[in-house]
């Protein structure tokens, strides 16, 4: 991919000037001389650390995964990462692994919902242009979009996740460029993307408002923003800790619960529907729709029978005009579409 980086609109994240792509091991800014290494075919254009690991520790984990990737399939490689990670307890490993393996079907369901909403909006750019998947993780959404003919670029702050994403994409026989970068400082020219999207990215950024401004900056006018994010007022299981209605708990109490349970407390910020709309408007987005997504069968299968019954009820109620509107207050997740104005 070394000779192709410049064609993707990549720029120095610090000054937005061009990068010299002549060196296969690094990219160098032609203006400020900042140098960005390339690890395992992935440029590291971060200006800040991953929220959970330092760059050195992240690189160590990425190197270990890359060394095992030739002899393992994606599922085995994912399992091996958690098997060698003593910071994540078994209960959370099961939760995170189930979510990652179910993500492919979830991504297909979510992508279909976004595309249906775009079909109702006139004057938007064609769906054959570039889609930037921010917070792509292990790549399920990027892969789903690439299979539909999109030109996709995947971005994540964790190099280790991108090594896993490479493996997942190769098993799908897809060549997707992945870039390590911060959502708040995207290494791209202004207005080069047709779509910017991501599943459960906004709540995990260090500065959600700044991240949305960056999404807006790299989108062309009329380009579309696609996001999902958990509802702060959801009555369902917390996506990171598994407790019921985690967003309603006082932060101190939730932290104490995580400590007692031996779980890693998530570095995140959840939003109500009103808070989310305010952030989007401040970042120059219009035509904002905050809807309720369908829950993919693969996600339902990981739940208890009680939760599966609750999900079935949610799926039925959200389609009713008045009841669906009320459901939006306590639904588990928001499905966001908006237009760069």
């Amino acid at each position: 991919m070394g000779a192709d980086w410049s064609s993707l609109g990549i720029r120095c994240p610090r000054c937005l000037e061009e990068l010299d792509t002549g060196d296969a091991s690094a990219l160098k800014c032609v203006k400020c001389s900042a140098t960005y290494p390339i690890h395992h075919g992935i440029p590291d254009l971060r200006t800040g650390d991953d929220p959970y690991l330092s760059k050195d520790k992240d690189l160590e984990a990425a190197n270990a995964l890359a060394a095992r990737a030739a002899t393992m399939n994606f599922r085995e490689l994912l399992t091996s990462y958690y098997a060698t990670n003593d910071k994540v307890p078994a209960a959370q490993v099961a939760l995170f692994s189930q979510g990652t393996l179910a993500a492919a079907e979830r991504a297909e369901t979510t992508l279909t919902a976004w595309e249906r909403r775009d079909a109702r909006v006139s004057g938007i750019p064609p769906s054959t242009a570039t889609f930037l998947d921010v917070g792509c993780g292990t790549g399920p959404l990027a892969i789903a979009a690439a299979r539909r003919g999109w030109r996709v670029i995947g971005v994540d702050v964790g190099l280790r996740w991108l090594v896993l994403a490479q493996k997942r994409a190769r098993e799908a026989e897809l060549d997707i460029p992945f870039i390590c970068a911060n959502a708040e400082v995207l290494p791209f020219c202004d207005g080069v993307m047709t779509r910017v999207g991501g599943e459960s990215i906004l709540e995990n950024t260090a500065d959600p408002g700044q991240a949305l401004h960056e999404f807006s900056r790299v989108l062309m006018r009329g380009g579309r923003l696609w996001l999902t994010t958990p509802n702060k007022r959801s009555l369902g299981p917390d996506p990171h800790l598994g407790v019921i209605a985690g967003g309603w708990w006082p932060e101190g109490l939730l932290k104490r619960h995580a400590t007692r349970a031996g779980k890693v407390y998530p570095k995140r910020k959840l939003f109500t529907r009103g808070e989310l709309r305010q952030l989007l408007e401040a970042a120059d987005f219009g035509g904002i729709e905050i809807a309720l997504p369908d829950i993919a069968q693969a996600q339902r299968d990981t739940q208890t029978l009680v939760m599966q019954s609750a999900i079935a009820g949610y799926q039925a109620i959200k389609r009713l005009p008045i009841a669906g509107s009320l459901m939006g207050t306590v639904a588990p997740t928001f499905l966001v579409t908006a237009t760069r104005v």
Side-chain angles (χ1 to χ4, degrees), residues 85-247:
N85 187 333
D86 58 5
K87 292 186 177 181
V88 184
Q92 275 184 305
V93 167
L95 184 67
F96 296 164
S97 297
Q98 286 174 352
T100 301
L101 295 172
E105 185 179 332
R106 183 193 66 220
E108 290 283 356
T109 300
T110 302
L111 189 58
T112 296
W114 283 327
E115 289 178 334
R116 284 175 178 166
R117 279 163 172 75
D118 273 16
R120 304 200 313 259
V121 181
S122 61
I124 63 172
S127 62
T128 53
T130 305
F131 171 44
L132 179 65
D133 179 8
V134 186
C136 66
T138 62
L141 179 59
I143 290 169
R147 282 173 169 161
R148 298 187 188 198
W150 288 85
R151 184 192 190 202
V152 182
I153 304 171
V155 168
D156 200 278
V157 73
L159 185 64
R160 61 200 183 282
W161 303 128
L162 296 177
V163 172
L164 283 161
Q166 277 186 333
K167 182 66 177 181
R168 198 172 203 165
R170 286 168 182 162
E171 287 187 0
E173 299 183 347
L174 293 168
D175 183 12
I176 298 173
F178 293 105
I179 298 167
C180 202
N182 297 87
E184 301 89 347
V185 192
L186 291 173
F188 297 101
C189 301
D190 294 357
V192 293
M193 304 298 170
T194 311
R195 303 287 189 282
V196 172
E199 293 187 290
S200 295
I201 170 59
L202 192 63
E203 70 275 12
N204 291 308
T205 59
D207 187 337
Q210 176 59 29
L212 282 173
H213 278 284
E214 279 292 276
F215 300 169
S216 177
R217 179 185 66 78
V218 302
L219 267 172
M220 64 174 63
R221 291 192 180 277
R224 295 282 279 173
L225 178 70
W226 291 345
L227 295 173
T228 63
T229 188
N231 178 6
K232 183 178 181 179
R233 298 306 181 201
S234 170
L235 296 179
D238 185 282
H240 300 100
L241 297 171
V243 299
I244 298 298

Side-chain angles (χ1 to χ4, degrees), residues 40 42 53 57-85 137-138 158-168 170:
H40 313 295
I42 303 166
L53 289 182
K57 290 293 185 182
D58 186 32
L59 177 58
E60 182 181 320
N63 287 341
L65 285 166
R68 297 191 294 267
T71 58
M72 293 182 176
N73 62 32
F74 172 74
R75 181 186 288 266
E76 292 168 340
L77 196 60
L78 176 68
T79 301
S80 78
Y81 170 70
Y82 284 119
T84 57
N85 187 333
T138 62
L159 185 64
R160 61 200 183 282
W161 303 128
L162 296 177
V163 172
L164 283 161
Q166 277 186 333
K167 182 66 177 181
R168 198 172 203 165
R170 286 168 182 162

